[in-house]
Amino acid sequence: MKTIIQFVQMPASDSMKTYVRQKLDKLFKKYEWIVKADVFFKKENDPTGKGKISTIELSIPGPKIYATSNEENFGFAFKETLKDVERQLKKRKVSLKRYL
């Protein structure tokens, strides 16, 4: 499984990269059919105090799974995005069992 982590128009954080890799490794072990994960972190100006955006795109058999979150810090944004991705993977796993 291949993991690509990008920080858009901001400096890269090694601690965030290791955190993301740990969480995605657990996901890869649970769902072996994931081919690739693209993770993007982006900072936008937002008057509500949010503006830290995390996006995950998973390449799997069939259509890609995509989720994004906008929170007050990147850790919370990544957790929310990961929850959304896991929910989608559970649904997809049920439909894949019929064909495997």
Side-chain angles (χ1 to χ4, degrees), residues 45-56:
N45 293 332
D46 190 357
T48 63
K50 294 185 177 184
K52 310 301 193 282
I53 299 171
S54 170
T55 304
I56 299 176

Side-chain angles (χ1 to χ4, degrees), residues 5 12 15-16 20 22 32 41 52 66 78 80-81 87 89 95-97:
I5 303 169
S15 61
M16 193 64 175
V20 168
Q22 288 174 351
E32 298 99 21
F41 292 103
K52 310 301 193 282
Y66 178 85
F78 181 73
E80 284 298 315
T81 308
R87 192 174 314 119
L89 283 170
S95 66
L96 278 178
K97 280 186 180 179

Side-chain angles (χ1 to χ4, degrees), residues 27-45:
L27 198 67
F28 290 153
K29 288 177 184 174
K30 192 172 182 180
Y31 303 99
E32 298 99 21
W33 34 272
I34 298 174
V35 178
K36 183 176 95 168
D38 293 317
V39 181
F40 300 96
F41 292 103
K42 185 177 177 182
K43 186 176 182 180
E44 288 187 352
N45 293 332

